[in-house]
Amino acid sequence: MKKHYTLSELANLTSTQLMGDPQYLISGVNTLDDANPQEASFLANIHYVEAMKRSKAGVICLDPKQDLNPSKNYLISEDPSRSFQKLVEIFSDFEKILSGFSGIHPSAILHPSAKIGKECTIGPYAVIDKGVIIGDHSFIGSHVYIGPFSSIGHHCTIHPSVVIRERTIIKDSVVLQPGAIIGSCGFGFTINTKGQFIKLDQIGNVIIEDDVEIGANTTIDRARFRATTIKKNTKIDNLVQIAHNVEIGESNAIAAQTGIAGSSKTGKYVMMGGQVGIVGHVEIADHTEIATRSGISKILPSGKYRGSPAMPFAEYNRQKVHVRRLEEYAKRIEALEEKVKKLKEPE
């Protein structure tokens, strides 16, 4: 691997616009704070503008809206984070190896009726149950369980210790991180005349469409009688709970520890911060953004929301201003009460 690149070479490799010395040599990557003059860094968040100004990095990836110091070098693009990622890959010795094993490991247990595609890897102690279909070029890690009559598409990556229960449908290029549970029972009970909980059988399934990624230890419950659906290109973080009959729309991004109750539905391009809570049977419109720790209890039209219960950003910010001034308001009220009391006193 080549150890040094000129900025001219790096601009070509990353499809970025170079501002600076084309012959300047770069030999690695680092953070803005820690980079030395032979390393590249990046700015993708306005909170780090001051760190960028202080940085000793030999070149910085940024977008064209930022102010440039003519004495420094820059690689300019609309997506500086992606450009920097290309630099990380260029300078990295890391080789992506999912497993040291290839093919079907002797300890894996495959039901005779299972159908395995071309050039698949099935790791140690994986269990592939009755009627399972796995597409070409898919990776099934160690200790994975795939339940009866489930199907896995082409080019999927199922990391170790994932559980995929019966009749789950997973389409192409899906990634399931370690410990994900797909198709577990939905949380459904009735109460009899004695006040006892009686379980409702959940006989539906889960459908995960193309290019979805599910984070570690995330759980997606199967539907009561139809399908819980995760639509294409959606990215779900670790430790997320998605309940039965939920429909997650195309190209959603859902951060860690979010919980979505049964039969709720999101539109396209919805984004949720961490620890968002959504009650059951609500709909969230396309292009909606929900901030961290927000609570959703009703249908949301498209917009940006924050708080619990969630409200539009502008309204939330106005209320926060008043909350921060509560002590001041309390003192003013006490002063006014004292004046009123004196006015009422007889002369």
Side-chain angles (χ1 to χ4, degrees):
M1 184 187 72
K2 187 175 178 180
K3 297 296 183 181
H4 297 83
Y5 291 83
T6 67
L7 289 183
S8 178
E9 290 173 320
L10 292 179
N12 288 331
L13 289 169
T14 58
S15 301
T16 55
Q17 178 187 358
L18 170 62
M19 296 289 290
D21 180 1
Q23 298 307 312
Y24 193 96
L25 289 174
I26 295 293
S27 59
V29 295
N30 213 325
T31 63
L32 286 169
D33 286 333
D34 296 333
N36 65 46
Q38 283 70 54
E39 293 176 321
S41 193
F42 76 112
L43 175 73
N45 188 314
I46 59 172
H47 293 111
Y48 296 98
V49 168
E50 292 303 315
M52 180 195 71
K53 293 176 181 178
R54 297 190 305 267
S55 180
K56 296 178 182 178
V59 66
I60 298 172
C61 299
L62 44 64
D63 66 53
K65 301 182 186 69
Q66 297 297 328
D67 293 332
L68 305 181
N69 181 338
S71 66
K72 291 189 175 184
N73 299 315
Y74 302 98
L75 293 173
I76 301 170
S77 69
E78 293 296 335
D79 190 347
S81 183
R82 176 58 57 186
S83 299
F84 183 72
Q85 179 63 28
K86 291 180 182 178
L87 295 180
V88 171
E89 293 167 5
I90 288 168
F91 288 107
S92 177
D93 290 323
F94 174 77
E95 182 181 354
K96 186 176 182 181
I97 300 176
L98 294 177
S99 175
F101 301 104
S102 60
I104 299 174
H105 194 270
S107 66
I109 300 172
L110 277 65
H111 192 277
S113 63
K115 296 180 180 178
I116 312 300
K118 297 180 295 184
E119 298 185 31
C120 288
T121 295
I122 299 179
Y125 305 105
V127 176
I128 313 299
D129 215 320
K130 181 179 180 180
V132 169
I133 298 171
I134 298 176
D136 300 342
H137 308 286
S138 284
F139 172 86
I140 311 298
S142 61
H143 296 279
V144 168
Y145 172 75
I146 303 178
F149 305 107
S150 294
S151 63
I152 310 294
H154 304 303
H155 300 282
C156 289
T157 303
I158 314 299
H159 286 286
S161 300
V162 167
V163 173
I164 300 169
R165 285 193 51 179
E166 60 273 21
R167 300 186 307 279
T168 295
I169 298 171
I170 294 176
K171 298 190 178 179
D172 297 340
S173 302
V174 170
V175 177
L176 303 182
Q177 296 292 348
I181 309 292
I182 311 299
S184 49
C185 290
F187 189 67
F189 299 87
T190 58
I191 300 176
N192 65 16
T193 55
K194 298 179 181 179
Q196 299 169 319
F197 289 106
I198 308 299
K199 187 171 182 59
L200 292 171
D201 287 333
Q202 310 286 315
I203 61 173
N205 71 339
V206 174
I207 299 173
I208 299 177
E209 295 186 356
D210 297 348
D211 299 302
V212 168
E213 179 159 349
I214 308 295
N217 295 321
T218 281
T219 57
I220 302 177
D221 294 344
R222 68 178 186 263
R224 183 177 178 185
F225 58 89
R226 296 179 65 185
T228 302
T229 305
I230 314 296
K231 294 198 171 180
K232 64 181 182 180
N233 198 42
T234 281
K235 313 301 178 186
I236 300 175
D237 199 0
N238 305 331
L239 296 168
V240 171
Q241 156 65 8
I242 295 177
H244 59 282
N245 295 90
V246 167
E247 181 179 309
I248 302 296
E250 178 182 336
S251 299
N252 281 206
I254 302 174
Q257 298 184 349
T258 288
I260 302 176
S263 300
S264 287
K265 180 178 179 180
T266 69
K268 298 178 182 179
Y269 309 107
V270 172
M271 299 181 70
M272 302 181 199
Q275 297 185 335
V276 167
I278 300 177
V279 303
H281 305 275
V282 301
E283 293 189 14
I284 296 171
D286 296 351
H287 299 281
T288 297
E289 297 180 18
I290 303 171
T292 298
R293 293 187 175 179
S294 294
I296 312 303
S297 58
K298 61 183 180 181
I299 293 173
L300 289 186
S302 184
K304 296 182 179 182
Y305 297 89
R306 189 170 187 178
S308 186
M311 62 190 76
F313 258 37
E315 181 180 347
Y316 176 87
N317 289 336
R318 285 196 300 270
Q319 289 195 13
K320 287 296 289 183
V321 169
H322 290 307
V323 169
R324 284 197 296 267
R325 298 177 66 182
L326 281 177
E327 186 174 356
E328 176 190 338
Y329 294 153
K331 291 178 179 178
R332 289 169 62 181
I333 290 169
E334 289 174 1
L336 288 170
E337 287 177 339
E338 193 63 31
K339 287 183 179 181
V340 170
K341 182 179 177 181
K342 289 181 178 179
L343 287 172
K344 290 181 176 180
E345 291 176 355
E347 294 182 2

